[in-house]
Amino acid sequence: MAAPSADPTRPVTVEVVLVKAGRTKIRYPADLLADDGVRIVVRAPWAGDTTRDFGFVRFESGDVFTEYYWRDRWYAVKEVRDARGRVKGWYCDITRPAVLAGGGLTVEDLDLDLWRSADGTDVRRLDEDEFAQSGLTERDPEAAAAAVAALDELESLARGGNFTALLA
């Protein structure tokens, strides 16, 4: 059943909760932009206390994230814009499918990530070492296989040119 899209004249705030290894990694408020029953879209300013420099991108005060979550996919895609509105790129988390309930949007981070630069020339898989060390393959082989398949799918989209269609 499709849920109604958020009313842009009355912003609805949800709390995004990112869980990792059974513990809350971060929580932050975000404006609910849309919810069609499958895909949830929220917008939030950079939630970090300080600048985070990955070497290939910096997340810093003034950055705005438009975040796309799915109830039926094992990933989340976060479009990152600077304070002037220029797209820096997309940071993708491999997660279990999202759950939106009681004003909270909860996702479980499965350690794998993907970065795609704004111009599409830099696509990189991230944190595969953390994923290997997480023990998920032994604890939950089906979830581990779904996570790897999701990363492969996102990388294929990011390299093949259909990436932004995923967010349309």
Side-chain angles (χ1 to χ4, degrees):
M1 170 195 274
S5 289
D7 179 350
T9 62
R10 292 183 339 183
V12 175
T13 300
V14 296
E15 181 176 53
V16 178
V17 181
L18 184 62
V19 176
K20 188 170 182 175
R23 293 190 173 113
T24 299
K25 180 178 175 183
I26 190 170
R27 62 178 60 227
Y28 53 91
D31 291 332
L32 178 64
L33 301 181
D35 179 1
D36 66 8
V38 176
R39 187 178 76 176
I40 303 155
V41 184
V42 301
R43 183 170 295 136
W46 164 239
D49 294 335
T50 60
T51 296
R52 181 127 187 238
D53 189 344
F54 291 94
F56 51 88
V57 67
R58 290 170 49 101
F59 297 161
E60 52 202 336
S61 179
D63 287 351
V64 176
F65 287 64
T66 302
E67 304 175 359
Y68 300 82
Y69 298 92
W70 287 265
R71 291 179 172 94
D72 64 350
R73 297 184 189 183
W74 287 68
Y75 52 77
V77 176
K78 301 171 181 181
E79 180 184 85
V80 184
R81 292 181 178 264
D82 67 16
R84 293 187 202 160
R86 291 181 300 218
V87 176
K88 290 183 174 186
W90 293 268
Y91 195 91
C92 308
D93 288 318
I94 304 303
T95 68
R96 291 185 189 268
V99 175
L100 179 62
L105 174 62
T106 304
V107 290
E108 182 181 348
D109 184 347
L110 298 177
D111 293 308
L112 293 170
D113 301 298
L114 182 90
W115 170 255
R116 182 184 188 272
S117 62
D119 64 5
T121 61
D122 184 9
V123 176
R124 57 179 75 203
R125 295 166 76 109
L126 304 168
D127 303 327
E128 290 179 295
D129 55 339
E130 287 181 30
F131 178 75
Q133 294 170 3
S134 74
L136 185 64
T137 303
E138 295 78 27
R139 273 192 332 277
D140 191 344
E142 289 180 19
V148 171
L151 182 61
D152 291 344
E153 176 186 347
L154 278 173
E155 182 179 23
S156 176
L157 289 168
R159 292 187 188 283
N162 287 332
F163 186 77
T164 55
L166 177 67
L167 310 177

